[in-house]
Protein backbone atom coordinates (compact mmCIF):
# COMPACT_ATOMS: atom_id res chain seq x y z
CA UNK A 1 0.00 0.00 0.00
CA UNK A 2 2.82 2.42 0.88
CA UNK A 3 4.57 1.67 -2.42
CA UNK A 4 1.33 2.28 -4.32
CA UNK A 5 0.86 5.67 -2.62
CA UNK A 6 4.44 6.60 -3.45
CA UNK A 7 3.83 5.83 -7.15
CA UNK A 8 0.41 7.53 -7.30
CA UNK A 9 0.07 10.23 -9.96
CA UNK A 10 -2.18 11.27 -12.85
CA UNK A 11 -1.30 10.23 -16.40
CA UNK A 12 -3.13 13.19 -17.93
CA UNK A 13 -2.83 15.74 -15.14
CA UNK A 14 -3.90 18.63 -17.43
CA UNK A 15 -7.47 17.35 -17.17
CA UNK A 16 -7.46 18.49 -13.55
CA UNK A 17 -7.74 22.09 -14.80
CA UNK A 18 -11.36 21.26 -15.70
CA UNK A 19 -12.08 21.15 -11.99
CA UNK A 20 -11.94 24.96 -12.06
CA UNK A 21 -14.99 25.43 -14.35
CA UNK A 22 -16.76 22.63 -12.51
CA UNK A 23 -16.35 24.47 -9.21
CA UNK A 24 -17.36 27.73 -10.88
CA UNK A 25 -20.55 26.24 -12.31
CA UNK A 26 -21.23 24.63 -8.98
CA UNK A 27 -21.08 28.02 -7.30
CA UNK A 28 -23.42 29.79 -9.74
CA UNK A 29 -26.00 27.00 -10.15
CA UNK A 30 -26.43 25.96 -6.53
CA UNK A 31 -29.57 27.63 -5.05
CA UNK A 32 -28.84 30.27 -2.43
CA UNK A 33 -30.68 30.40 0.85
CA UNK A 34 -32.91 33.47 1.08
CA UNK A 35 -32.04 36.21 3.50
CA UNK A 36 -34.23 36.41 6.55
CA UNK A 37 -36.45 39.46 6.69
CA UNK A 38 -37.21 41.18 9.98
CA UNK A 39 -40.93 41.85 10.30
CA UNK A 40 -40.91 41.77 14.06
CA UNK A 41 -41.47 45.53 14.36
CA UNK A 42 -44.75 45.62 12.43
CA UNK A 43 -46.03 42.03 12.43
CA UNK A 44 -46.51 39.52 15.15
CA UNK A 45 -43.54 37.15 15.45
CA UNK A 46 -45.53 33.98 14.63
CA UNK A 47 -46.99 35.63 11.52
CA UNK A 48 -43.58 37.00 10.45
CA UNK A 49 -42.06 33.51 10.63
CA UNK A 50 -44.76 32.17 8.31
CA UNK A 51 -44.22 34.99 5.79
CA UNK A 52 -40.51 34.38 5.38
CA UNK A 53 -39.68 32.92 1.90
CA UNK A 54 -37.99 29.54 2.16
CA UNK A 55 -38.68 29.19 5.82
CA UNK A 56 -39.69 25.52 5.40
CA UNK A 57 -36.70 24.74 3.15
CA UNK A 58 -34.62 22.07 4.85
CA UNK A 59 -33.00 20.44 1.80
CA UNK A 60 -29.22 20.02 2.28
CA UNK A 61 -28.35 18.40 -1.09
CA UNK A 62 -29.48 19.91 -4.38
CA UNK A 63 -29.49 18.38 -7.87
CA UNK A 64 -26.65 20.74 -8.77
CA UNK A 65 -24.58 19.24 -5.97
CA UNK A 66 -25.01 15.73 -7.34
CA UNK A 67 -24.30 16.87 -10.90
CA UNK A 68 -21.12 18.70 -9.95
CA UNK A 69 -19.81 15.88 -7.74
CA UNK A 70 -20.38 13.46 -10.63
CA UNK A 71 -18.62 15.91 -12.97
CA UNK A 72 -15.67 16.10 -10.57
CA UNK A 73 -15.41 12.30 -10.54
CA UNK A 74 -15.49 12.27 -14.35
CA UNK A 75 -12.67 14.82 -14.50
CA UNK A 76 -10.60 12.74 -12.07
CA UNK A 77 -11.26 9.62 -14.17
CA UNK A 78 -10.25 11.47 -17.35
CA UNK A 79 -7.02 12.61 -15.67
CA UNK A 80 -5.96 8.95 -15.43
CA UNK A 81 -5.02 8.13 -11.83
CA UNK A 82 -2.40 5.38 -11.64
CA UNK A 83 0.08 3.76 -9.30
CA UNK A 84 1.37 0.72 -11.24
CA UNK A 85 2.64 -0.23 -14.67
CA UNK A 86 0.58 -2.29 -17.07
CA UNK A 87 1.68 -5.47 -18.81
CA UNK A 88 1.95 -5.62 -22.57
CA UNK A 89 -1.36 -7.18 -23.71
CA UNK A 90 0.39 -8.95 -26.59
CA UNK A 91 2.80 -10.93 -24.41
CA UNK A 92 2.43 -13.31 -21.54
CA UNK A 93 1.34 -11.75 -18.26
CA UNK A 94 4.19 -13.39 -16.35
CA UNK A 95 7.88 -12.64 -16.39
CA UNK A 96 10.29 -14.46 -18.70
CA UNK A 97 12.19 -17.03 -16.68
CA UNK A 98 15.59 -18.64 -17.22
CA UNK A 99 15.77 -21.95 -15.37
CA UNK A 100 19.38 -22.81 -14.54
CA UNK A 101 19.72 -26.46 -13.52
CA UNK A 102 22.76 -27.89 -11.79
CA UNK A 103 23.60 -31.19 -13.52
CA UNK A 104 26.48 -32.37 -11.37
CA UNK A 105 27.22 -35.74 -9.79
CA UNK A 106 25.99 -34.50 -6.41
CA UNK A 107 22.52 -34.17 -7.92
CA UNK A 108 22.38 -37.96 -8.33
CA UNK A 109 22.12 -38.37 -4.55
CA UNK A 110 19.11 -40.57 -3.75
CA UNK A 111 18.05 -38.83 -0.51
CA UNK A 112 15.22 -37.49 -2.69
CA UNK A 113 13.70 -40.49 -4.45
CA UNK A 114 14.68 -41.45 -7.11
CA UNK A 115 17.37 -38.73 -7.13
CA UNK A 116 17.73 -35.03 -6.58
CA UNK A 117 18.14 -34.47 -10.32
CA UNK A 118 15.03 -36.43 -11.27
CA UNK A 119 12.94 -34.64 -8.66
CA UNK A 120 14.33 -31.35 -9.94
CA UNK A 121 13.18 -32.27 -13.46
CA UNK A 122 9.70 -33.05 -12.12
CA UNK A 123 9.57 -29.68 -10.36
CA UNK A 124 10.76 -27.82 -13.45
CA UNK A 125 8.13 -29.59 -15.55
CA UNK A 126 5.42 -28.61 -13.05
CA UNK A 127 6.61 -25.01 -13.11
CA UNK A 128 6.63 -24.91 -16.91
CA UNK A 129 3.09 -26.30 -16.99
CA UNK A 130 1.95 -23.77 -14.39
CA UNK A 131 3.45 -20.98 -16.52
CA UNK A 132 1.72 -22.02 -19.73
CA UNK A 133 1.98 -19.20 -22.24
CA UNK A 134 4.99 -17.59 -20.54
CA UNK A 135 8.50 -17.62 -21.96
CA UNK A 136 10.96 -20.01 -20.34
CA UNK A 137 14.60 -20.75 -21.18
CA UNK A 138 16.82 -23.58 -19.93
CA UNK A 139 20.50 -23.50 -18.95
CA UNK A 140 22.49 -26.43 -17.55
CA UNK A 141 25.77 -26.25 -15.69
CA UNK A 142 28.27 -28.34 -13.79
CA UNK A 143 31.96 -27.59 -14.32
CA UNK A 144 30.93 -25.52 -17.37
CA UNK A 145 27.68 -23.71 -18.27
CA UNK A 146 25.67 -24.49 -21.39
CA UNK A 147 22.67 -22.88 -23.07
CA UNK A 148 20.12 -25.69 -23.58
CA UNK A 149 17.09 -23.81 -24.94
CA UNK A 150 16.32 -20.12 -25.56
CA UNK A 151 13.19 -18.38 -24.30
CA UNK A 152 10.18 -20.20 -25.68
CA UNK A 153 6.49 -20.57 -24.89
CA UNK A 154 6.42 -24.14 -26.21
CA UNK A 155 6.82 -26.65 -23.39
CA UNK A 156 7.17 -29.44 -25.97
CA UNK A 157 10.58 -28.02 -26.92
CA UNK A 158 11.81 -27.94 -23.33
CA UNK A 159 10.62 -31.35 -22.10
CA UNK A 160 12.81 -33.63 -24.29
CA UNK A 161 15.84 -31.42 -23.71
CA UNK A 162 15.20 -31.47 -19.97
CA UNK A 163 14.88 -35.26 -19.95
CA UNK A 164 18.20 -35.62 -21.75
CA UNK A 165 20.14 -33.72 -19.07
CA UNK A 166 22.31 -36.11 -17.07
CA UNK A 167 25.76 -35.72 -15.47
CA UNK A 168 27.09 -38.01 -18.20
CA UNK A 169 26.40 -35.40 -20.90
CA UNK A 170 28.30 -32.65 -19.09
CA UNK A 171 31.91 -32.18 -20.25
CA UNK A 172 33.20 -31.90 -16.68
CA UNK A 173 31.98 -31.93 -13.11
CA UNK A 174 32.17 -28.91 -10.84
CA UNK A 175 30.34 -25.68 -10.04
CA UNK A 176 30.17 -22.80 -12.54
CA UNK A 177 27.01 -21.10 -11.24
CA UNK A 178 28.41 -17.61 -11.86
CA UNK A 179 29.12 -18.40 -15.51
CA UNK A 180 25.63 -19.91 -15.83
CA UNK A 181 24.25 -16.65 -14.43
CA UNK A 182 26.08 -14.74 -17.16
CA UNK A 183 24.42 -16.91 -19.82
CA UNK A 184 21.03 -16.37 -18.20
CA UNK A 185 21.52 -12.61 -18.15
CA UNK A 186 22.54 -12.71 -21.81
CA UNK A 187 19.30 -14.54 -22.64
CA UNK A 188 17.19 -12.01 -20.76
CA UNK A 189 19.08 -9.06 -22.23
CA UNK A 190 17.60 -9.68 -25.66
CA UNK A 191 14.05 -9.60 -24.28
CA UNK A 192 12.07 -6.39 -23.83
CA UNK A 193 10.15 -7.81 -20.88
CA UNK A 194 11.88 -7.93 -17.47
CA UNK A 195 12.49 -11.43 -16.15
CA UNK A 196 14.15 -13.52 -13.46
CA UNK A 197 16.66 -16.38 -13.20
CA UNK A 198 15.86 -19.50 -11.19
CA UNK A 199 18.69 -21.73 -9.94
CA UNK A 200 17.70 -25.32 -9.18
CA UNK A 201 20.55 -26.80 -7.15
CA UNK A 202 21.58 -28.73 -4.07
CA UNK A 203 24.67 -26.66 -3.18
CA UNK A 204 26.71 -23.72 -4.37
CA UNK A 205 30.34 -22.79 -3.90
CA UNK A 206 30.91 -19.66 -1.78
CA UNK A 207 33.28 -18.29 -4.42
CA UNK A 208 30.54 -18.52 -7.05
CA UNK A 209 28.04 -16.85 -4.76
CA UNK A 210 30.46 -14.01 -4.10
CA UNK A 211 30.72 -13.29 -7.83
CA UNK A 212 26.93 -13.38 -8.21
CA UNK A 213 26.42 -10.62 -5.62
CA UNK A 214 27.09 -7.93 -8.22
CA UNK A 215 24.12 -8.85 -10.44
CA UNK A 216 21.02 -6.68 -10.62
CA UNK A 217 18.87 -9.48 -12.03
CA UNK A 218 16.22 -10.97 -9.76
CA UNK A 219 17.56 -14.36 -8.57
CA UNK A 220 15.49 -17.25 -7.25
CA UNK A 221 16.82 -20.46 -5.74
CA UNK A 222 15.03 -23.80 -5.46
CA UNK A 223 17.08 -26.05 -3.18
CA UNK A 224 16.77 -29.77 -3.92
CA UNK A 225 17.39 -31.11 -0.43
CA UNK A 226 15.33 -33.21 2.01
CA UNK A 227 12.96 -31.35 4.30
CA UNK A 228 14.85 -29.54 7.04
CA UNK A 229 18.15 -29.31 5.13
CA UNK A 230 19.26 -25.95 3.77
CA UNK A 231 22.07 -24.53 1.69
CA UNK A 232 24.01 -22.63 4.34
CA UNK A 233 25.52 -20.18 1.86
CA UNK A 234 22.02 -18.99 0.87
CA UNK A 235 20.64 -18.57 4.38
CA UNK A 236 21.77 -14.96 4.77
CA UNK A 237 21.76 -13.90 1.15
CA UNK A 238 20.00 -10.61 0.49
CA UNK A 239 18.12 -9.62 -2.68
CA UNK A 240 17.44 -13.27 -3.54
CA UNK A 241 14.46 -15.49 -2.81
CA UNK A 242 15.17 -19.03 -1.59
CA UNK A 243 12.47 -21.69 -1.82
CA UNK A 244 12.84 -25.06 -0.12
CA UNK A 245 11.83 -28.23 -1.94
CA UNK A 246 8.45 -29.64 -0.85
CA UNK A 247 6.70 -32.87 -1.69
CA UNK A 248 3.54 -30.98 -2.69
CA UNK A 249 3.13 -27.98 -4.97
CA UNK A 250 3.74 -25.41 -2.25
CA UNK A 251 7.20 -24.62 -3.62
CA UNK A 252 5.81 -24.12 -7.14
CA UNK A 253 3.15 -21.69 -5.89
CA UNK A 254 5.76 -19.79 -3.89
CA UNK A 255 8.04 -19.54 -6.92
CA UNK A 256 5.18 -18.20 -9.03
CA UNK A 257 4.47 -15.49 -6.46
CA UNK A 258 8.12 -14.46 -6.44
CA UNK A 259 8.27 -14.41 -10.25
CA UNK A 260 5.16 -12.24 -10.51
CA UNK A 261 6.51 -9.94 -7.80
CA UNK A 262 9.81 -9.57 -9.64
CA UNK A 263 7.93 -8.86 -12.87
CA UNK A 264 5.79 -6.13 -11.28
CA UNK A 265 8.79 -4.56 -9.57
CA UNK A 266 10.77 -4.47 -12.80
CA UNK A 267 7.84 -2.97 -14.71
CA UNK A 268 7.64 -0.10 -12.21
CA UNK A 269 11.25 0.78 -13.06
CA UNK A 270 10.78 0.50 -16.82
CA UNK A 271 9.92 3.85 -18.38
CA UNK A 272 9.07 2.16 -21.68
CA UNK A 273 6.11 0.33 -20.13
CA UNK A 274 2.87 2.28 -19.94
CA UNK A 275 1.16 3.08 -16.67
CA UNK A 276 -2.10 1.29 -15.88
CA UNK A 277 -5.02 3.73 -16.11
CA UNK A 278 -7.21 3.32 -13.01
CA UNK A 279 -9.76 5.97 -14.00
CA UNK A 280 -12.56 3.42 -13.87
CA UNK A 281 -12.45 3.64 -10.06
CA UNK A 282 -13.81 7.20 -10.28
CA UNK A 283 -16.11 6.38 -13.18
CA UNK A 284 -18.23 3.99 -11.08
CA UNK A 285 -19.30 6.51 -8.40
CA UNK A 286 -19.98 9.04 -11.18
CA UNK A 287 -22.24 6.51 -12.90
CA UNK A 288 -24.09 5.76 -9.65
CA UNK A 289 -24.68 9.44 -8.99
CA UNK A 290 -26.03 9.84 -12.50
CA UNK A 291 -28.82 7.40 -11.62
CA UNK A 292 -30.33 10.12 -9.40
CA UNK A 293 -30.96 12.25 -12.48
CA UNK A 294 -33.97 10.11 -13.32
CA UNK A 295 -35.73 11.06 -10.12
CA UNK A 296 -38.45 13.61 -10.43
CA UNK A 297 -37.05 17.07 -10.07
CA UNK A 298 -33.41 15.92 -10.40
CA UNK A 299 -33.09 15.80 -14.18
CA UNK A 300 -30.47 18.28 -15.37
CA UNK A 301 -30.83 18.36 -19.13
CA UNK A 302 -27.74 20.37 -19.91
CA UNK A 303 -25.56 17.90 -18.02
CA UNK A 304 -27.07 14.97 -19.93
CA UNK A 305 -26.55 16.86 -23.17
CA UNK A 306 -22.88 17.41 -22.32
CA UNK A 307 -22.47 13.69 -21.64
CA UNK A 308 -23.87 12.87 -25.07
CA UNK A 309 -21.64 15.47 -26.72
CA UNK A 310 -18.59 14.06 -24.94
CA UNK A 311 -19.37 10.44 -25.83
CA UNK A 312 -17.11 8.91 -28.50
CA UNK A 313 -18.50 8.86 -32.02
CA UNK A 314 -18.12 6.22 -34.64
CA UNK A 315 -19.84 3.04 -35.80
CA UNK A 316 -21.03 0.80 -33.01
CA UNK A 317 -21.14 -2.96 -33.12
CA UNK A 318 -24.02 -4.80 -31.47
CA UNK A 319 -22.76 -8.38 -31.62
CA UNK A 320 -22.73 -8.74 -27.86
CA UNK A 321 -22.01 -6.85 -24.69
CA UNK A 322 -18.29 -7.62 -24.97
CA UNK A 323 -18.13 -5.60 -28.18
CA UNK A 324 -19.23 -2.52 -26.25
CA UNK A 325 -16.11 -2.64 -24.08
CA UNK A 326 -13.44 -4.76 -25.82
CA UNK A 327 -11.98 -4.79 -29.32
CA UNK A 328 -11.85 -8.12 -31.20
CA UNK A 329 -8.09 -8.34 -30.60
CA UNK A 330 -8.58 -7.77 -26.86
CA UNK A 331 -11.21 -10.50 -26.77
CA UNK A 332 -8.87 -12.75 -28.71
CA UNK A 333 -6.08 -12.10 -26.19
CA UNK A 334 -8.40 -13.03 -23.33
CA UNK A 335 -9.33 -16.28 -25.08
CA UNK A 336 -5.62 -16.94 -25.75
CA UNK A 337 -4.77 -16.41 -22.08
CA UNK A 338 -7.54 -18.88 -21.18
CA UNK A 339 -6.00 -21.41 -23.61
CA UNK A 340 -9.07 -21.24 -25.88
CA UNK A 341 -6.85 -21.14 -28.94
CA UNK A 342 -9.45 -21.97 -31.61
CA UNK A 343 -11.79 -19.29 -30.23
CA UNK A 344 -8.91 -16.81 -30.11
CA UNK A 345 -8.10 -17.49 -33.78
CA UNK A 346 -11.70 -16.66 -34.72
CA UNK A 347 -11.68 -13.45 -32.67
CA UNK A 348 -8.31 -11.98 -33.64
CA UNK A 349 -8.31 -9.46 -36.47
CA UNK A 350 -4.56 -8.90 -36.32
CA UNK A 351 -3.13 -11.44 -38.81
CA UNK A 352 0.00 -12.28 -36.79
CA UNK A 353 -1.92 -13.05 -33.60
CA UNK A 354 -4.53 -14.93 -35.59
CA UNK A 355 -1.76 -17.08 -37.11
CA UNK A 356 -0.17 -17.60 -33.70
CA UNK A 357 -3.53 -18.69 -32.23
CA UNK A 358 -4.00 -21.14 -35.12
CA UNK A 359 -0.52 -22.50 -34.39
CA UNK A 360 -1.36 -23.01 -30.71
CA UNK A 361 -4.67 -24.65 -31.72
CA UNK A 362 -2.79 -27.22 -33.80
CA UNK A 363 -4.18 -25.94 -37.11
CA UNK A 364 -0.78 -25.82 -38.74
CA UNK A 365 -1.76 -25.52 -42.45
CA UNK A 366 -4.15 -22.65 -41.65
CA UNK A 367 -1.49 -20.96 -39.53
CA UNK A 368 1.07 -21.29 -42.35
CA UNK A 369 -1.37 -19.74 -44.83
CA UNK A 370 -1.84 -16.67 -42.61
CA UNK A 371 1.78 -16.25 -41.52
CA UNK A 372 3.35 -16.54 -44.99
CA UNK A 373 1.52 -13.35 -46.00
CA UNK A 374 3.38 -11.28 -43.39
CA UNK A 375 6.83 -9.73 -43.69
CA UNK A 376 7.91 -9.58 -40.06
CA UNK A 377 10.58 -11.71 -38.35
CA UNK A 378 8.02 -12.85 -35.77
CA UNK A 379 5.74 -14.13 -38.52
CA UNK A 380 8.59 -16.06 -40.18
CA UNK A 381 9.57 -17.52 -36.79
CA UNK A 382 5.98 -18.65 -36.06
CA UNK A 383 5.73 -20.05 -39.60
CA UNK A 384 8.84 -22.12 -38.94
CA UNK A 385 7.28 -23.52 -35.75
CA UNK A 386 4.09 -24.41 -37.63
CA UNK A 387 6.00 -26.12 -40.43
CA UNK A 388 8.28 -28.10 -38.13
CA UNK A 389 5.25 -29.37 -36.21
CA UNK A 390 3.62 -30.21 -39.51
CA UNK A 391 6.81 -32.18 -40.37
CA UNK A 392 7.71 -29.83 -43.20
CA UNK A 393 11.37 -29.62 -42.19
CA UNK A 394 12.87 -28.10 -45.32
CA UNK A 395 10.31 -25.25 -45.48
CA UNK A 396 10.79 -24.83 -41.71
CA UNK A 397 14.53 -24.34 -42.27
CA UNK A 398 13.75 -21.77 -44.94
CA UNK A 399 11.34 -19.95 -42.60
CA UNK A 400 13.87 -19.73 -39.77
CA UNK A 401 16.52 -18.52 -42.22
CA UNK A 402 14.07 -15.82 -43.33
CA UNK A 403 13.54 -14.83 -39.71
CA UNK A 404 17.30 -14.48 -39.28
CA UNK A 405 17.54 -12.35 -42.42
CA UNK A 406 14.85 -10.04 -41.08
CA UNK A 407 16.37 -9.99 -37.58
CA UNK A 408 20.06 -10.95 -37.71
CA UNK A 409 21.49 -12.69 -34.66
CA UNK A 410 18.09 -13.74 -33.23
CA UNK A 411 19.14 -16.55 -30.83
CA UNK A 412 15.73 -18.28 -30.74
CA UNK A 413 15.54 -18.45 -34.53
CA UNK A 414 19.14 -19.67 -34.73
CA UNK A 415 18.42 -22.41 -32.19
CA UNK A 416 15.28 -23.60 -33.98
CA UNK A 417 17.14 -23.50 -37.30
CA UNK A 418 19.77 -25.85 -35.87
CA UNK A 419 17.07 -28.16 -34.46
CA UNK A 420 15.30 -28.27 -37.83
CA UNK A 421 18.53 -29.06 -39.64
CA UNK A 422 19.36 -31.80 -37.13
CA UNK A 423 15.94 -33.41 -37.54
CA UNK A 424 16.16 -33.23 -41.33
CA UNK A 425 19.61 -34.84 -41.23
CA UNK A 426 18.21 -37.58 -39.00
CA UNK A 427 15.32 -38.15 -41.44
CA UNK A 428 17.67 -38.39 -44.41
CA UNK A 429 20.03 -40.72 -42.57
CA UNK A 430 17.16 -42.98 -41.59
CA UNK A 431 15.90 -43.10 -45.14
CA UNK A 432 19.33 -44.06 -46.37
CA UNK A 433 19.44 -46.96 -43.93
CA UNK A 434 16.00 -48.33 -44.73
CA UNK A 435 13.68 -48.40 -47.71
CA UNK A 436 10.59 -48.60 -45.51
CA UNK A 437 10.47 -44.92 -44.73
CA UNK A 438 7.78 -43.93 -47.22
CA UNK A 439 5.47 -46.83 -46.33
CA UNK A 440 5.85 -45.99 -42.64
CA UNK A 441 4.70 -42.44 -43.23
CA UNK A 442 7.99 -40.97 -42.08
CA UNK A 443 8.12 -38.33 -44.79
CA UNK A 444 8.71 -34.84 -43.49
CA UNK A 445 7.19 -33.11 -46.53
CA UNK A 446 6.37 -33.64 -50.20
CA UNK A 447 9.45 -31.96 -51.63
CA UNK A 448 12.06 -33.91 -53.64
CA UNK A 449 15.59 -34.06 -52.20
CA UNK A 450 18.19 -32.62 -54.53
CA UNK A 451 20.75 -35.17 -53.23
CA UNK A 452 23.68 -32.89 -53.96
CA UNK A 453 25.90 -34.87 -51.60
CA UNK A 454 25.05 -38.15 -53.24
CA UNK A 455 23.39 -39.35 -50.08
CA UNK A 456 21.53 -42.65 -50.20
CA UNK A 457 23.21 -43.99 -53.35
CA UNK A 458 24.65 -47.15 -51.76
CA UNK A 459 21.98 -48.15 -49.28
CA UNK A 460 20.95 -51.60 -48.24
CA UNK A 461 17.36 -52.42 -47.37
CA UNK A 462 16.94 -54.35 -44.14
CA UNK A 463 14.01 -56.74 -44.38
CA UNK A 464 11.52 -56.83 -41.53
CA UNK A 465 11.84 -59.92 -39.36
CA UNK A 466 9.44 -61.86 -37.16
CA UNK A 467 6.49 -60.33 -38.95
CA UNK A 468 7.16 -56.92 -37.37
CA UNK A 469 5.38 -53.95 -38.87
CA UNK A 470 6.86 -50.53 -39.63
CA UNK A 471 6.62 -48.02 -36.79
CA UNK A 472 3.77 -45.52 -37.05
CA UNK A 473 4.87 -41.97 -37.74
CA UNK A 474 4.20 -40.71 -34.19
CA UNK A 475 6.25 -43.55 -32.65
CA UNK A 476 9.04 -42.96 -35.12
CA UNK A 477 9.21 -39.26 -34.29
CA UNK A 478 9.27 -40.02 -30.56
CA UNK A 479 12.24 -42.32 -31.16
CA UNK A 480 14.32 -39.25 -31.93
CA UNK A 481 14.23 -38.41 -28.20
CA UNK A 482 16.23 -41.54 -27.40
CA UNK A 483 19.28 -39.88 -28.94
CA UNK A 484 18.80 -36.62 -27.02
CA UNK A 485 21.62 -37.41 -24.59
CA UNK A 486 24.05 -38.01 -27.45
CA UNK A 487 22.88 -34.79 -29.05
CA UNK A 488 23.40 -32.79 -25.85
CA UNK A 489 26.73 -34.45 -25.08
CA UNK A 490 28.17 -33.55 -28.50
CA UNK A 491 26.72 -30.07 -28.35
CA UNK A 492 28.14 -29.39 -24.88
CA UNK A 493 31.54 -30.64 -25.96
CA UNK A 494 31.53 -28.18 -28.84
CA UNK A 495 30.41 -25.40 -26.47
CA UNK A 496 33.19 -26.28 -24.04
CA UNK A 497 35.80 -26.18 -26.79
CA UNK A 498 34.50 -22.82 -27.97
CA UNK A 499 34.66 -21.43 -24.40
CA UNK A 500 38.31 -22.45 -24.13
CA UNK A 501 39.27 -20.61 -27.30
Amino acid sequence: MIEALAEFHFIRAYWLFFLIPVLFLWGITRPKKSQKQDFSESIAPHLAEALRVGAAETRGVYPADVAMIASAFIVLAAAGPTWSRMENPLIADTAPLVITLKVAESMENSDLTPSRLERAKFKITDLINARAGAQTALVAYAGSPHRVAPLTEDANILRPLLEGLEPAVMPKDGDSAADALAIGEDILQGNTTPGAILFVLDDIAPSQLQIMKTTETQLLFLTMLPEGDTVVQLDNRESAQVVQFSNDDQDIRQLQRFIRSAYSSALDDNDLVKWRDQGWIFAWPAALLCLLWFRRGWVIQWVLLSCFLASPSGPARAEGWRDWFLTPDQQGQIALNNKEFAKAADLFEDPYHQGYALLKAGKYPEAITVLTQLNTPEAAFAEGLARIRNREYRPAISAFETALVRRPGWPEAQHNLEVSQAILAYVETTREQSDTGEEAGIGADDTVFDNEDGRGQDTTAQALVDGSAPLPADQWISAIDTDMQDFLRNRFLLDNQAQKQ
Side-chain angles (χ1 to χ4, degrees), residues 283-306:
W284 276 110
L288 293 175
L289 289 174
C290 290
L291 295 178
L292 295 175
W293 294 343
F294 295 94
R295 293 187 59 187
R296 182 179 180 181
W298 285 65
V299 178
I300 304 177
Q301 297 180 357
W302 61 272
V303 175
L304 292 176
L305 179 61
S306 65

Side-chain angles (χ1 to χ4, degrees), residues 10-32:
F10 290 94
I11 301 174
R12 298 171 294 274
Y14 53 85
W15 274 89
L16 296 177
F17 287 108
F18 284 92
L19 288 176
I20 298 175
V22 168
L23 293 175
F24 175 75
L25 290 174
W26 195 349
I28 65 176
T29 58
R30 195 176 195 276
K32 307 294 188 301

Side-chain angles (χ1 to χ4, degrees), residues 84-95 193 260 263-264 267 273-276:
S84 63
R85 302 274 185 177
M86 65 182 297
E87 299 87 351
N88 189 330
L90 301 181
I91 60 177
D93 59 355
T94 53
T193 307
R260 285 193 292 266
Y263 180 53
S264 300
L267 284 180
V273 181
K274 295 182 179 179
W275 289 93
R276 187 191 302 275

Side-chain angles (χ1 to χ4, degrees), residues 157-478:
I157 293 178
L158 297 175
R159 290 192 187 102
L161 294 170
L162 181 63
E163 289 300 321
L165 291 175
E166 298 288 344
V169 307
M170 307 302 292
K172 58 181 180 179
D173 195 30
D175 189 346
S176 59
D179 293 333
L181 172 62
I183 292 180
E185 289 178 328
D186 182 62
I187 293 175
L188 292 177
Q189 188 176 6
N191 197 285
T192 57
T193 307
I197 298 178
L198 169 64
F199 280 86
V200 184
L201 45 73
D202 59 349
D203 195 9
I204 186 171
S207 59
Q208 298 293 313
L209 197 59
Q210 185 66 28
I211 300 174
M212 296 166 63
K213 285 184 177 180
T214 59
T215 183
E216 297 181 357
T217 306
Q218 178 65 43
L219 298 183
L220 308 173
F221 293 89
L222 176 60
T223 57
M224 302 305 301
L225 294 173
E227 186 176 356
D229 294 348
T230 62
V231 178
V232 179
Q233 297 89 323
L234 297 175
D235 289 343
N236 299 321
R237 174 166 175 83
E238 300 178 357
S239 70
Q241 304 292 345
V242 180
V243 178
Q244 305 293 334
F245 165 82
S246 65
N247 289 316
D248 54 14
D249 62 347
Q250 180 180 354
D251 48 1
I252 299 300
R253 295 198 303 269
Q254 191 174 359
L255 283 172
Q256 286 187 283
R257 288 195 299 269
F258 287 148
I259 295 169
R260 285 193 292 266
S261 176
Y263 180 53
S264 300
S265 176
L267 284 180
D268 289 340
D269 298 332
N270 189 347
D271 294 334
L272 299 179
V273 181
K274 295 182 179 179
W275 289 93
R276 187 191 302 275
D277 193 336
Q278 303 286 3
W280 61 271
I281 295 177
F282 292 101
W284 276 110
L288 293 175
L289 289 174
C290 290
L291 295 178
L292 295 175
W293 294 343
F294 295 94
R295 293 187 59 187
R296 182 179 180 181
W298 285 65
V299 178
I300 304 177
Q301 297 180 357
W302 61 272
V303 175
L304 292 176
L305 179 61
S306 65
C307 292
F308 281 113
L309 293 177
S311 62
S313 60
R317 299 177 59 186
E319 299 176 1
W321 68 269
R322 290 180 180 271
D323 297 317
W324 299 352
F325 306 99
L326 301 173
T327 66
D329 286 337
Q330 290 172 332
Q331 296 179 48
Q333 185 63 41
I334 292 174
L336 190 67
N337 294 340
N338 294 332
K339 301 180 183 180
E340 299 174 354
F341 303 121
K343 180 180 177 182
D346 294 334
L347 290 171
F348 273 125
E349 290 184 348
D350 180 81
Y352 169 71
H353 293 96
Q354 182 184 43
Y356 179 77
L358 289 168
L359 168 63
K360 299 290 285 187
K363 299 180 179 180
Y364 305 130
E366 294 86 345
I368 293 170
T369 301
V370 174
L371 294 169
T372 51
Q373 301 175 10
L374 306 177
N375 296 320
T376 63
E378 292 81 7
F381 184 87
E383 178 193 348
L385 292 177
R387 290 191 182 277
I388 198 172
R389 294 182 189 178
N390 206 38
R391 301 177 188 172
E392 302 177 12
Y393 302 118
R394 285 186 178 274
I397 292 173
S398 178
F400 289 128
E401 289 175 342
T402 301
L404 286 170
V405 170
R406 295 173 181 173
R407 182 183 294 176
W410 192 359
E412 290 85 351
Q414 182 63 42
H415 172 80
N416 285 352
L417 174 62
E418 294 173 359
V419 172
S420 303
Q421 291 171 338
I423 294 177
L424 179 60
Y426 189 94
V427 171
E428 290 181 341
T429 301
T430 304
R431 282 183 169 176
E432 293 170 9
Q433 295 174 351
S434 174
D435 63 349
T436 61
E438 294 296 331
E439 290 81 359
I442 297 176
D445 49 48
D446 295 327
T447 61
V448 179
F449 296 145
D450 52 22
N451 205 21
E452 293 178 355
D453 298 330
R455 303 184 65 172
Q457 290 181 349
D458 299 322
T459 58
T460 303
Q462 179 67 40
L464 298 174
V465 296
D466 300 329
S468 59
L471 286 175
D474 292 340
Q475 295 182 20
W476 178 86
I477 289 295
S478 65

Side-chain angles (χ1 to χ4, degrees), residues 95-118:
L97 179 67
V98 177
I99 300 178
T100 306
L101 175 62
K102 183 179 181 181
V103 191
E105 293 181 357
S106 63
M107 291 288 285
E108 292 190 312
N109 194 314
S110 60
D111 52 2
L112 292 180
T113 307
S115 70
R116 295 176 181 177
L117 182 59
E118 291 302 317

